[in-house]
Amino acid sequence: MMQMAKRMKFSVVGLPHYTIWHLYEPSVDDIRHMEEMDKERKAKEAKEKEERERMERIKEQFDNPSTQWDQDKSDIRDMAAKEVKEGEAKKPAEM
């Protein structure tokens, strides 16, 4: 390891075995910290899942108003076009 680092023109300071030892043997504090992080991650995932399910329930309870709005818009356009045609039809007859 040390020879490879020197070949790559890195300076080697300290004990290389210390790093290797800690890579494979975490301390008790490290293990506790990892367990706490795992609990926090699981709690966060559960909270996100609950939030998604709540939003799904809300979406299921309420209808999508856009389809009704589209139908209303087309009805309004049809009524406006009908009024314009009726207005045009009355003008030449009155003259």
Side-chain angles (χ1 to χ4, degrees), residues 17-66:
H17 298 291
Y18 179 79
T19 304
I20 294 170
W21 177 261
H22 280 281
L23 273 172
Y24 295 106
E25 295 291 330
S27 68
V28 174
D29 290 336
D30 292 339
I31 292 172
R32 276 194 212 124
H33 181 66
M34 286 188 284
E35 288 173 352
E36 289 174 10
M37 287 176 54
D38 192 43
K39 285 179 187 176
E40 290 173 1
R41 180 185 57 80
K42 287 180 181 178
K44 183 180 176 184
E45 288 175 355
K47 184 178 178 182
E48 289 174 352
K49 181 180 177 184
E50 182 180 316
E51 183 68 22
R52 280 193 305 269
E53 290 173 353
R54 188 174 73 82
M55 293 305 291
E56 288 295 323
R57 285 193 305 266
I58 289 171
K59 285 180 183 177
E60 289 173 1
Q61 289 177 352
F62 295 102
D63 290 333
N64 187 0
S66 65

Side-chain angles (χ1 to χ4, degrees), residues 59-74:
K59 285 180 183 177
E60 289 173 1
Q61 289 177 352
F62 295 102
D63 290 333
N64 187 0
S66 65
T67 56
Q68 181 64 39
W69 177 240
D70 291 338
Q71 183 180 359
D72 291 345
K73 283 194 297 187
S74 66

Side-chain angles (χ1 to χ4, degrees), residues 71-85:
Q71 183 180 359
D72 291 345
K73 283 194 297 187
S74 66
D75 291 344
I76 291 170
R77 276 193 219 116
D78 292 343
M79 289 171 54
K82 186 177 178 182
E83 287 178 7
V84 168
K85 286 182 182 177

